[in-house]
Amino acid sequence: MTFMRSEALEAPEAVARFLTINQAALEELGARLRLAPPPAVLTSARGSSDHAAGYFKYLTEILAGIPCASIGASVVSVYGARLQAKGCVAVTISQSGQSPDIVALQHALREAGALTVALVNDDSSPVAVNADICLALNAGAEVSVAATKSFIVSLAAGAAIVAHWTGEPGLIAAVQDLPERLSAASRIAWPDFTRLARTAESFYVLGRGPSLPIAGEMALKLKETCAIHAEAYSLAEVMHGPLELMGQDFPVFAFTPGDRSLESNRLALARLRKTGASILNAGPDGLAFAATGDPMLDPISMIQTAYLAIESLALSRGRDPDRPRHLKKVTHTL
């Protein structure tokens, strides 16, 4: 068994551990945000963690109604900008918590008056110890270069923050039930996906709203582990320039959870199929997935299944998903 697979299979337990350890801190943060809603939420992250930040952005804007934006770390670390962030909440998401640019941005936002929150796997890292509030992911060590369980815990952490912020009982219950639903997702296989992508050189991964960052994460993992030139697009944006590349047998995978985007996504997929493309989707009328009890959380269970499908695909293409040729587990950027 590869490290990628074994670590992905640990995600349900890791999410349960995160929720248990951070229960009191999540409740306290949620109450604080309800009492004094910030004018904006700012996120800082790289790679897979930035996709988790994108998912958190959609939940924050849709469910809490507060604008949420990703801040490029280089505006501080390279360009020396002085940001105005008084009263904002600054959320840093990182597996290692060590990259110098992420550390510098967190420090600058705290100095500018933001409440800094860290979602980090290494609770002894600079990002963790310098945050006002650290919600340690507690995902455990990851050996595979391809992050899996730490990403899934990051998604669950963002969902938990928004759930306790809004105080919506159904969403809180769905978050608490995530470990069980992720276990169910681990038992679902997508052999049709392996057949679709086994010989692919280019690939589109599509989503919309909370599922768009999940599409980005899947595209990243296809690059990392399978050396497939995969690109992620919104099911709306793909109708513009990217549509021109589609044609007979062009492989496309879409995340279409049963949220308010479902009907428009169905119409979009119908149009894409007219190009002759080979299209699969995960959703109520597509490949099986483990429903979570709230469609806003379904992308989390979908990526659990997708990770295992990608690992199988990498092996079928003769690649080691744990050891990409040019990548390292911790990347330091300025």
Side-chain angles (χ1 to χ4, degrees):
M1 184 182 293
T2 65
F3 287 115
M4 181 181 179
R5 176 167 288 269
S6 64
E7 288 165 2
L9 290 172
E10 293 172 13
E13 180 182 352
V15 170
R17 186 165 55 244
F18 169 85
L19 293 173
T20 298
I21 292 174
N22 292 287
Q23 180 68 27
L26 287 165
E27 292 175 354
E28 181 180 345
L29 178 58
R32 182 172 182 172
L33 293 173
R34 284 196 304 276
L35 182 64
V41 176
L42 311 174
T43 65
S44 175
R46 295 283 190 192
S48 291
S49 294
D50 198 37
H51 297 147
Y55 175 74
F56 174 66
K57 165 189 168 67
Y58 275 106
L59 265 59
T60 297
E61 293 177 342
I62 294 169
L63 301 177
I66 300 297
C68 182
S70 173
I71 305 298
S74 65
V75 302
V76 169
S77 64
V78 175
Y79 295 100
R82 296 179 63 85
L83 298 173
Q84 304 298 314
K86 186 175 182 179
C88 294
V89 173
V91 179
T92 302
I93 305 177
S94 175
Q95 200 277 337
S96 69
Q98 298 178 29
S99 189
D101 54 350
I102 298 295
V103 174
L105 178 57
Q106 181 194 52
H107 175 75
L109 290 172
R110 189 179 188 186
E111 290 292 302
L115 173 70
T116 55
V117 179
L119 304 179
V120 62
N121 204 29
D122 182 353
D123 60 6
S124 65
S125 66
V127 165
V129 300
N130 292 321
D132 294 311
I133 298 171
C134 178
L135 300 175
L137 298 179
N138 289 291
E142 278 186 321
V143 176
S144 179
V145 169
T148 53
K149 62 179 178 176
S150 63
F151 176 74
I152 291 174
V153 179
S154 297
L155 296 177
I161 291 173
V162 175
H164 287 284
W165 181 357
T166 62
E168 204 284 304
L171 183 59
I172 293 174
V175 168
Q176 293 298 326
D177 196 41
L178 271 175
E180 181 179 342
R181 304 317 302 150
L182 291 170
S183 293
S186 297
R187 297 190 291 271
I188 296 173
W190 288 343
D192 288 345
F193 166 76
T194 302
R195 286 190 286 271
L196 176 71
R198 181 176 287 122
T199 60
E201 296 182 1
S202 293
F203 200 99
Y204 281 171
V205 191
L206 310 178
R208 195 162 193 188
S211 67
L212 177 56
I214 306 306
E217 172 65 10
M218 186 173 188
L220 175 63
K221 287 297 186 288
L222 289 172
K223 294 184 183 82
E224 285 180 336
T225 66
C226 302
I228 294 174
H229 180 214
E231 298 296 336
Y233 292 102
S234 158
L235 272 152
E237 290 296 329
V238 77
M239 297 300 180
H240 297 271
L243 183 66
E244 183 61 23
L245 295 182
M246 295 179 64
Q248 193 66 35
D249 299 326
F250 189 97
V252 176
F253 187 90
F255 292 100
T256 57
D259 61 22
R260 295 180 67 177
S261 69
L262 180 59
E263 189 54 40
S264 65
N265 287 341
R266 285 170 171 161
L267 294 173
L269 290 179
R271 180 177 174 186
L272 296 181
R273 288 190 173 97
K274 292 180 180 178
T275 68
S278 297
I279 298 175
L280 286 176
N281 68 296
D285 49 4
L287 296 180
F289 71 102
T292 62
D294 189 311
M296 301 294 280
L297 303 186
D298 286 348
I300 305 179
S301 69
M302 288 178 174
I303 196 63
Q304 174 78 68
T305 302
Y307 276 152
L308 300 174
I310 292 168
E311 186 263 0
S312 295
L313 174 64
L315 295 176
S316 76
R317 291 170 65 98
R319 295 184 60 87
D320 181 350
D322 293 332
R323 299 174 183 83
R325 295 171 299 167
H326 307 306
L327 304 176
K328 296 180 180 180
K329 186 61 182 174
V330 178
T331 302
H332 294 273
T333 48
L334 298 177

